[in-house]
């Protein structure tokens, strides 16, 4: 199975709401945060799934990128 490619419109569909999976993009990779308790309902500390969050994770996240190591990459993010 080849990796999926997401633009912002496609990524926004994966917001963790109404039974949808929760995906976030960081530095071109799209991560599945669906099973992460902290992302329940597609929300985590004011951030929403279905978004590109590189700046947030680099400037506001206390844990930084190390948490990404435990997540599955489901595709690549390509800006519109």
């Amino acid at each position: 199975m080849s990796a999926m490619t997401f633009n912002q419109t496609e990524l926004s569909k994966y917001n963790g709401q109404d039974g949808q999976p929760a995906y976030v993009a960081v530095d071109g990779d799209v991560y599945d945060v669906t099973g992460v308790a902290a992302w329940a309902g597609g929300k985590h500390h004011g951030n929403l799934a279905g978004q590109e969050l590189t700046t947030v994770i680099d400037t506001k996240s206390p844990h930084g990128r190390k948490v990404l190591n435990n997540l599955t990459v489901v595709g690549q993010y390509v800006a519109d």
Side-chain angles (χ1 to χ4, degrees):
M1 179 176 143
S2 62
M4 297 173 60
T5 301
F6 299 84
N7 61 22
Q8 184 53 54
T9 302
E10 281 297 312
L11 184 61
S12 69
K13 297 175 186 175
Y14 297 90
N15 61 7
Q17 302 291 311
D18 301 319
Q20 290 297 317
Y23 294 170
V24 296
V26 176
D27 223 11
D29 289 322
V30 177
Y31 295 90
D32 186 349
V33 295
T34 305
V36 178
W39 278 96
K43 299 176 186 175
H44 177 60
H45 294 293
N47 298 298
L48 302 176
Q51 302 295 314
E52 201 290 327
L53 299 177
T54 301
T55 301
V56 171
I57 202 162
D58 285 346
T59 63
K60 297 181 181 178
S61 170
H63 46 67
R65 292 179 181 231
K66 66 184 175 187
V67 297
L68 300 175
N69 296 332
N70 299 324
L71 300 174
T72 301
V73 175
V74 295
Q76 299 299 305
Y77 178 77
V78 180
D80 292 332

